[in-house]
Amino acid sequence: MTTSWLPVPDGTDFPVQNLPYGVFSRRGELPRIGVAIGEYVLDLAGLAAAGLVQDRRWFAAGSLNAFMVAGRPAWQATRSRLVELLTEERHREEVEPHLVPQAEAELHLPVEVSDYVDFYSSLEHASNLGRILRPDAEPLLPNWRHLPVAYHGRAGTVVVSGTQIARPYGQRRAPDAQTPTFGPSTRLDIEAEVGFVVGVPSSLGSRIGTGSFREHVFGFVLVNDWSARDIQAWEYQPLGPFLGKSFATSISPWVVPVDALEAARVQPPAQDPEPLPYLQVAEAWGLDLTLEVELNGHVVARPPFAGMYWTPPQQLAHATVNGAAVRAGDLFASGTVSGPNPEQYGSLIELTWNGERPLILPNGSARTFLEDGDVVTLRASAPQAEDVRIGFGEVTGTIVPARPG
Amino acid sequence: MTTSWLPVPDGTDFPVQNLPYGVFSRRGELPRIGVAIGEYVLDLAGLAAAGLVQDRRWFAAGSLNAFMVAGRPAWQATRSRLVELLTEERHREEVEPHLVPQAEAELHLPVEVSDYVDFYSSLEHASNLGRILRPDAEPLLPNWRHLPVAYHGRAGTVVVSGTQIARPYGQRRAPDAQTPTFGPSTRLDIEAEVGFVVGVPSSLGSRIGTGSFREHVFGFVLVNDWSARDIQAWEYQPLGPFLGKSFATSISPWVVPVDALEAARVQPPAQDPEPLPYLQVAEAWGLDLTLEVELNGHVVARPPFAGMYWTPPQQLAHATVNGAAVRAGDLFASGTVSGPNPEQYGSLIELTWNGERPLILPNGSARTFLEDGDVVTLRASAPQAEDVRIGFGEVTGTIVPARPG
């Protein structure tokens, strides 16, 4: 197994097999590109200035977008070079000055998000929501097994892990009421998701087939798509979610390269009916990631990403089959990841079955939806050969009271 | 009445009272900022280089975003200065070299679109769609009169007038079928809309009240939100439109400043029930614009914007009441503008009543939805005192055949 001359803790999210990219700074410094390795950030802007990696314009930047546009050959060359620098003892002396302890690094939003699309690709999540919201009808709508349902979210309110989440104000209507009331959301929820980020753009009128996923997609992030269920329920007919989602979407500061997840690829669930030709995929593109949902320090769910019905290459092929162009920084999230068992549900509306079965935390407190002061942390990792795991770090957020207008 | 020393044609869209901003270039030149006046573009980058206007960084740019961020005092100072330069004879000699005939100018997308939100704010349009799509139910859904319904569209496929529109491929399902088919859309439609563009950002967690509209909004554009009705009908439950809209949205190359439309403000229709306090507006913010929908050279509708139920300040207040931030370049479109009379409908699905009553064009050809080769041109203008009108120029697009994957 490849190991680094830099000691990394057992079970770290960031072995040399991972090397996720992010944007960091120390106090008073300009944000720039770094790579996570063990308990350090490797400063790529510093390495580039020292002539140890190409190319300074990519790495002395406040977002990954310029590097992402450079394309797969540049991504692969950089990744190979970083492995060389971190594993060959002869490079130790020149590389060490560019290691910054993560404890000293502030992590920023890693990409300038261009468009944000959110899918609905877990069969279990879509079925659970159908059972909860339309108890007398077939849980899955007729289109669900034919196409990966999705909508556009708000790109401008995608924030990095650690950003406080102010409880949103909005309109809601009680089940038996005629008119809505206005106030802070009382049904604030999480959605544990995995997203991918586009690097290489496509042009208007062209498609990205399922076989071209790796040519366009730079990497994966962990996503918490915060949702105000009461606002959403009142507003969403007929054009979909708007203010119930647009107040904030948190993503991990680290973008895990597609190549780091090659060993995590598994056969996804069988699809019935067989999808249309443009949605068929030659390779196995399930991803064996286990997510962890932690509420106030207590793990309340472990959603399995391997069971997602629609896979990332299918999502991208669908989103572009009408000729829609993609740009560097486009974020495509999976939708809530839920497994078949209740301890695998990726949202509180499922975990508490619409508030009917409160979660009891170890300190005895009960939760249906989120309360002010609650801290939600998502984690995800993929098993790798020989006790190595590829991790995403975490996406965390604290709920703060609503801010009056 | 203020007049320019530069002769402008009678009835021009671009009198000195308008001065809309755009991005232009002549062959081989870099795109830069200009203002439309009569049959010319006034080159602001050239004026700035000559020291005649502030500030070169705003105007020697490929989009309006840097100028839009500068804020209302900068917008007002620039506008006053341009009026002075174009109306005082003593400036004629120094300004004339910076006038470029519009016939020689290529017009580009005027703003880098950050997020794109599309409303649904015409009572007549929403009612017509309800009658067509849900004939056995109340046309308006319960939320419609309480909030301006909206969804996020795709910012990356907003294109400038003149861009060819390739018929999108997608899934659709016949009314009596169990499974979908795949192919080029057979129900390609237009939506005549008016949008506004944000200049000054807001921060996450804050709101933009209805009284702060002018502090944030730079100007208005004309919008054609192309729609594939068959793709949309099959995909849109439960999360709203996605591929049925995301293939292209055309906007006018000219952004009309908010100040140029002051004389067009009128009392909007009364709202019943009274809106919640955050949606109440002290000023009259209806806008007396008449739109014109031309299909293959023949005007098929004249939708009146003055009758829109929800007004622009209400739309912006609603979109930010949950604390969502806005950025320079955010585009908020009105939704299809339709009036009460059939010749005022802003979409073909209404004009042909879902294809049941084809339009017969003067050459005898019939249209339900758009055919390849069709040319759609939207125009809009506001009456102004003394035979002056404030126009938006046009948004035009030609339908070209679907491009196989």
Side-chain angles (χ1 to χ4, degrees):
Chain A
M1 185 183 71
T2 314
T3 56
S4 176
W5 45 258
L6 177 71
V8 301
D10 280 349
T12 179
D13 271 358
F14 309 122
V16 73
Q17 289 78 5
N18 189 350
L19 302 182
Y21 292 90
V23 174
F24 80 102
S25 63
R26 280 184 297 199
R27 187 185 295 268
E29 293 175 346
L30 286 177
R32 56 198 189 276
I33 309 300
V35 155
I37 173 78
E39 293 174 304
Y40 292 86
V41 182
L42 180 58
D43 177 353
L44 295 205
L47 285 184
L52 293 170
V53 294
Q54 293 286 340
D55 176 309
R56 189 131 188 267
R57 288 167 307 169
W58 299 334
F59 301 129
S63 83
L64 284 164
N65 291 46
F67 178 49
M68 295 197 302
V69 169
R72 188 162 165 75
W75 309 337
Q76 290 186 313
T78 301
R79 186 168 166 81
S80 302
R81 176 62 175 162
L82 292 174
V83 169
E84 188 178 288
L85 291 172
L86 285 166
T87 56
E88 296 179 8
E89 182 65 31
R90 66 190 169 99
H91 291 298
R92 182 173 189 148
E93 199 171 326
E94 58 191 3
V95 170
E96 270 183 342
H98 303 288
L99 289 167
V100 174
Q102 281 174 26
E104 294 176 17
E106 184 185 354
L107 299 174
H108 304 274
L109 191 67
V111 299
E112 261 183 74
V113 181
S114 297
D115 268 300
Y116 167 40
V117 167
D118 196 22
F119 284 89
Y120 192 55
S121 290
S122 158
L123 179 70
E124 290 76 15
H125 173 70
S127 302
N128 284 338
L129 269 280
R131 286 185 196 106
I132 290 169
L133 302 176
R134 299 180 300 274
D136 302 322
E138 191 61 38
L140 280 188
L141 292 173
N143 57 16
W144 199 91
R145 286 177 176 271
H146 293 280
L147 54 84
V149 168
Y151 69 101
H152 281 91
R154 188 158 185 81
T157 51
V158 175
V159 298
V160 71
S161 172
T163 306
Q164 288 186 333
I165 305 300
R167 181 180 299 275
Y169 271 84
Q171 294 191 24
R172 62 175 176 276
R173 194 179 67 164
D176 50 351
Q178 283 298 308
T179 56
T181 56
F182 179 75
S185 170
T186 59
R187 290 162 63 87
L188 186 55
D189 200 355
I190 59 170
E191 296 200 326
E193 310 192 7
V194 174
F196 61 85
V197 179
V198 167
V200 174
S202 66
S203 57
L204 196 69
S206 70
R207 300 182 195 170
I208 301 177
T210 57
S212 301
F213 184 79
R214 285 189 191 79
E215 306 313 312
H216 290 272
V217 174
F218 178 74
F220 287 85
V221 291
L222 194 54
V223 179
N224 186 348
D225 191 36
W226 307 93
S227 298
R229 301 292 179 195
D230 44 356
I231 296 172
Q232 186 182 345
W234 170 234
E235 75 178 354
Y236 90 109
Q237 289 286 8
L239 299 181
F242 184 47
L243 297 185
K245 300 279 197 173
S246 67
F247 56 98
T249 304
S250 300
I251 67 171
S252 58
W254 298 113
V255 185
V256 174
V258 174
D259 282 350
L261 293 170
E262 277 298 323
R265 289 201 296 109
V266 293
Q267 200 64 42
Q271 294 185 313
D272 179 25
E274 183 178 72
L276 283 162
Y278 80 90
L279 290 170
Q280 294 179 12
V281 191
E283 292 180 294
W285 258 107
L287 280 178
D288 185 16
L289 304 175
T290 300
L291 278 60
E292 200 172 271
V293 179
E294 186 185 281
L295 175 56
N296 297 340
H298 177 63
V299 174
V300 296
R302 288 195 169 85
F305 192 66
M308 296 296 278
Y309 190 89
W310 294 105
T311 63
Q314 291 179 312
Q315 292 168 343
L316 186 59
H318 184 63
T320 60
V321 74
N322 68 345
V326 299
R327 295 179 293 174
D330 279 354
L331 171 63
F332 293 87
S334 60
T336 307
V337 182
S338 289
N341 303 319
E343 67 275 18
Q344 297 178 317
Y345 295 167
S347 68
L348 290 175
I349 195 173
E350 293 168 271
L351 287 165
T352 70
W353 210 254
N354 206 25
E356 290 170 18
R357 308 171 197 158
L359 284 178
I360 309 297
L361 300 182
N363 68 357
S365 65
R367 282 293 179 284
T368 50
F369 292 94
L370 296 172
E371 298 188 3
D372 291 349
D374 281 353
V375 181
V376 178
T377 302
L378 308 183
R379 297 185 189 85
S381 65
Q384 178 102 349
E386 302 175 61
D387 293 334
V388 172
R389 57 202 282 272
I390 303 294
F392 282 71
E394 50 181 50
V395 178
T396 189
T398 300
I399 307 302
V400 299
R403 295 164 70 163
Chain B
M1 185 184 73
T2 313
T3 55
S4 176
W5 45 257
L6 178 72
V8 302
D10 280 349
T12 179
D13 270 359
F14 310 122
V16 73
Q17 288 78 3
N18 189 350
L19 301 182
Y21 292 90
V23 174
F24 80 100
S25 62
R26 281 185 296 199
R27 187 185 295 268
E29 293 175 345
L30 286 177
R32 57 197 186 275
I33 310 300
V35 154
I37 173 78
E39 293 174 304
Y40 292 86
V41 182
L42 180 58
D43 177 354
L44 294 205
L47 285 185
L52 294 170
V53 293
Q54 293 286 341
D55 174 308
R56 187 130 190 269
R57 288 166 307 170
W58 299 334
F59 301 130
S63 84
L64 284 164
N65 291 48
F67 179 49
M68 295 196 303
V69 169
R72 186 161 167 76
W75 310 337
Q76 290 186 313
T78 301
R79 186 169 166 82
S80 303
R81 176 62 176 162
L82 291 175
V83 169
E84 187 179 290
L85 290 173
L86 285 166
T87 56
E88 296 178 9
E89 181 66 31
R90 67 191 168 97
H91 291 299
R92 182 175 189 143
E93 200 171 323
E94 58 192 2
V95 170
E96 271 184 342
H98 303 288
L99 289 168
V100 175
Q102 281 176 25
E104 294 176 17
E106 183 185 356
L107 299 173
H108 304 274
L109 191 66
V111 300
E112 262 183 72
V113 181
S114 296
D115 268 301
Y116 166 42
V117 167
D118 196 23
F119 285 88
Y120 192 55
S121 290
S122 159
L123 179 70
E124 290 76 14
H125 173 70
S127 301
N128 285 337
L129 270 280
R131 287 184 197 108
I132 289 169
L133 302 176
R134 300 178 300 274
D136 302 323
E138 191 61 38
L140 280 188
L141 291 174
N143 57 15
W144 199 91
R145 285 176 178 272
H146 294 280
L147 54 83
V149 169
Y151 69 100
H152 282 90
R154 188 160 186 79
T157 51
V158 175
V159 297
V160 70
S161 172
T163 306
Q164 288 186 333
I165 304 301
R167 181 180 299 276
Y169 270 84
Q171 293 191 26
R172 61 175 177 276
R173 192 179 68 164
D176 51 350
Q178 283 299 308
T179 57
T181 55
F182 180 74
S185 169
T186 60
R187 290 162 63 87
L188 185 56
D189 200 354
I190 59 172
E191 295 200 329
E193 309 192 9
V194 174
F196 61 85
V197 179
V198 167
V200 175
S202 66
S203 58
L204 196 68
S206 70
R207 301 182 194 170
I208 301 177
T210 57
S212 301
F213 183 79
R214 285 189 190 79
E215 306 313 312
H216 289 273
V217 173
F218 178 74
F220 287 84
V221 291
L222 194 54
V223 179
N224 187 347
D225 191 36
W226 307 94
S227 299
R229 303 291 179 193
D230 44 355
I231 296 172
Q232 185 182 346
W234 170 233
E235 75 179 354
Y236 91 108
Q237 289 287 9
L239 300 181
F242 183 46
L243 298 184
K245 301 279 198 173
S246 67
F247 55 97
T249 304
S250 300
I251 67 170
S252 59
W254 298 113
V255 184
V256 175
V258 173
D259 281 349
L261 293 171
E262 277 299 323
R265 290 200 296 110
V266 292
Q267 201 62 42
Q271 295 186 312
D272 180 24
E274 183 179 71
L276 283 162
Y278 81 90
L279 290 171
Q280 294 178 12
V281 192
E283 292 179 295
W285 258 106
L287 280 178
D288 184 17
L289 304 174
T290 300
L291 279 60
E292 199 172 271
V293 179
E294 187 185 279
L295 174 56
N296 298 339
H298 178 62
V299 174
V300 296
R302 287 195 170 84
F305 192 66
M308 296 296 279
Y309 190 89
W310 294 105
T311 63
Q314 291 180 312
Q315 293 168 343
L316 187 59
H318 184 64
T320 61
V321 75
N322 67 345
V326 299
R327 294 180 292 174
D330 278 355
L331 171 64
F332 292 86
S334 60
T336 306
V337 182
S338 290
N341 304 319
E343 66 275 19
Q344 297 177 316
Y345 295 167
S347 68
L348 290 175
I349 194 172
E350 293 168 272
L351 287 165
T352 70
W353 210 255
N354 206 24
E356 290 169 18
R357 309 173 198 155
L359 285 177
I360 308 297
L361 301 181
N363 69 358
S365 65
R367 284 291 180 284
T368 50
F369 292 93
L370 295 171
E371 298 189 1
D372 291 348
D374 281 353
V375 181
V376 178
T377 303
L378 309 183
R379 297 185 189 84
S381 65
Q384 178 105 348
E386 302 176 62
D387 293 336
V388 171
R389 58 202 282 272
I390 303 293
F392 282 70
E394 50 181 51
V395 178
T396 189
T398 301
I399 307 303
V400 299
R403 295 165 67 165

